[in-house]
Amino acid sequence: MKNISIKSSIGLLILAAAIISLSGCAVKKASWGSLENGMIMKYAVQADRNLKYQTTYSFEQDMEVMGQKIQITAKGGQDLLMKPLESKGNDLEYLVTIEDMASKINTPRGVMMANLDKVIGQSFNYTVSPLGAELEYSGAEAITYDFGMGQLKSIASDVQAFFPDLPEHPVKPGDSWKSYDNITENTGSGKVTMAFTNINTFEKLEKYNGYDCMKINVVYTSTLEGEGSQNGADLFTTGTLKGTSTWYYAYKKGILVSYETDGNGETITEVKGPQEMTLPATRKYNTKSELVAAQ
């Protein structure tokens, strides 16, 4: 009996050792997956760290008006500080503060500088799902500024699609997923709506700005529709946009590190009023957002 008991004990020890070893493997298994089985992408709040993003943009538009070519260029940017709040459920909640902002538009009539004194320093609540869906930013709708034409513009369009949408399933290099973004810009005299279709492709793992990242390349297209009024005339704009983007996602941290977009487009504006005309235009633009601090 004693010999049988020892053998039984040895068997139990072997089983226990196997269970402990498997448990150890489970603990060590990376929550972000692997290249072999697929990388798991989810945004995560860094409870003790604020995220500061710096965005810059440039824009150039050429329009033909009654046989004359008119060019408009613009440059600007903003610094957003995202302070994590106590989340309800799985969603990520931030208090976003506009730390700095600038906007300059060059037109044939002169330079227009946005009046941002009342915007810088303001904050709003921002809720994002783990897969990047912007769920709540109504406070941003109430933050408006005069962008230089005597009309007010909300900053909500700056955060409606700030975080790229992540796939619902693990991805390997070469895998793609489709995502959609809808952005609406409201001004005092009208609005512009853009509907984007994005094809995101995971290229490779790459070190970027000190983070272990997944490099994602994007090809996108968009429709554009706008309406407004000026000097007693109604304006109706339609057009298309297309371009490419590259963004970096820190898979060990669950945070966006960088996003850069280059694009171009063509539009037609129909002017209805005392003097009717059609205004064709082309445009090109670049936007880049960088994580400049996580502290």
Side-chain angles (χ1 to χ4, degrees), residues 30-104:
S31 60
W32 52 82
S34 65
L35 288 178
E36 293 76 16
N37 298 317
M39 302 293 289
I40 300 169
M41 305 178 73
K42 286 186 178 181
Y43 291 115
V45 166
Q46 307 296 307
D48 57 343
R49 289 191 173 188
N50 299 332
L51 303 178
K52 182 176 180 178
Y53 288 98
Q54 186 174 80
T55 298
T56 58
Y57 68 84
S58 61
F59 171 90
E60 182 179 305
Q61 175 177 280
D62 292 306
M63 177 178 283
E64 188 172 321
V65 180
M66 301 179 67
Q68 290 187 331
K69 290 186 177 181
I70 296 177
Q71 184 177 80
I72 295 175
T73 62
K75 286 187 177 182
Q78 60 188 194
D79 292 354
L80 299 180
L81 182 68
M82 298 189 180
K83 179 181 179 181
L85 302 175
E86 184 176 349
S87 299
K88 300 174 183 177
N90 295 322
D91 297 327
L92 289 67
E93 299 195 23
Y94 296 98
L95 179 67
V96 179
T97 300
I98 306 166
E99 289 200 325
D100 198 10
M101 192 168 178
S103 176
K104 177 181 178 181

Side-chain angles (χ1 to χ4, degrees), residues 146-290:
D146 180 349
F147 59 90
M149 300 178 64
Q151 298 179 359
L152 296 180
K153 177 185 180 298
S154 166
I155 70 158
S157 60
D158 297 337
V159 296
Q160 286 176 10
F162 189 87
F163 290 98
D165 290 349
L166 305 181
E168 297 180 352
H169 51 79
V171 291
K172 301 177 183 180
D175 287 349
S176 298
W177 68 96
K178 187 179 289 188
S179 62
Y180 305 92
D181 292 309
N182 292 295
I183 299 176
T184 300
E185 292 190 351
N186 292 300
T187 67
S189 62
K191 69 176 183 178
V192 175
T193 301
M194 293 168 283
F196 290 86
T197 299
N198 315 295
I199 305 298
N200 308 269
T201 302
F202 171 29
E203 179 184 342
K204 62 179 179 179
L205 300 184
E206 183 177 321
K207 201 86 170 180
Y208 187 89
N209 283 356
Y211 291 92
D212 293 317
C213 292
M214 298 172 64
K215 181 181 181 182
I216 312 297
N217 297 317
V218 185
V219 176
Y220 68 87
T221 58
S222 174
T223 58
L224 182 151
E225 295 182 357
E227 58 182 42
S229 60
Q230 185 175 3
N231 299 328
D234 294 323
L235 284 67
F236 302 93
T237 300
T238 58
T240 58
L241 304 173
K242 62 181 180 180
T244 58
S245 306
T246 298
W247 50 280
Y248 291 87
Y249 164 82
Y251 55 89
K252 293 181 180 179
K253 302 289 187 181
I255 57 177
L256 176 68
V257 175
S258 176
Y259 193 113
E260 183 169 12
T261 295
D262 286 292
N264 60 78
E266 298 180 352
T267 59
I268 296 290
T269 299
E270 300 287 345
V271 180
K272 306 293 184 181
Q275 186 176 14
E276 298 193 352
M277 63 184 74
T278 299
L279 308 177
T282 60
R283 64 191 67 189
K284 59 182 179 180
Y285 54 89
N286 171 273
T287 302
K288 185 173 186 178
S289 295
E290 290 268 333

Side-chain angles (χ1 to χ4, degrees), residues 125-147:
N125 284 27
Y126 191 41
T127 304
V128 183
S129 79
L131 294 181
E134 288 78 11
L135 304 175
E136 169 59 33
Y137 49 85
S138 59
E141 296 279 4
I143 302 176
T144 59
Y145 63 94
D146 180 349
F147 59 90

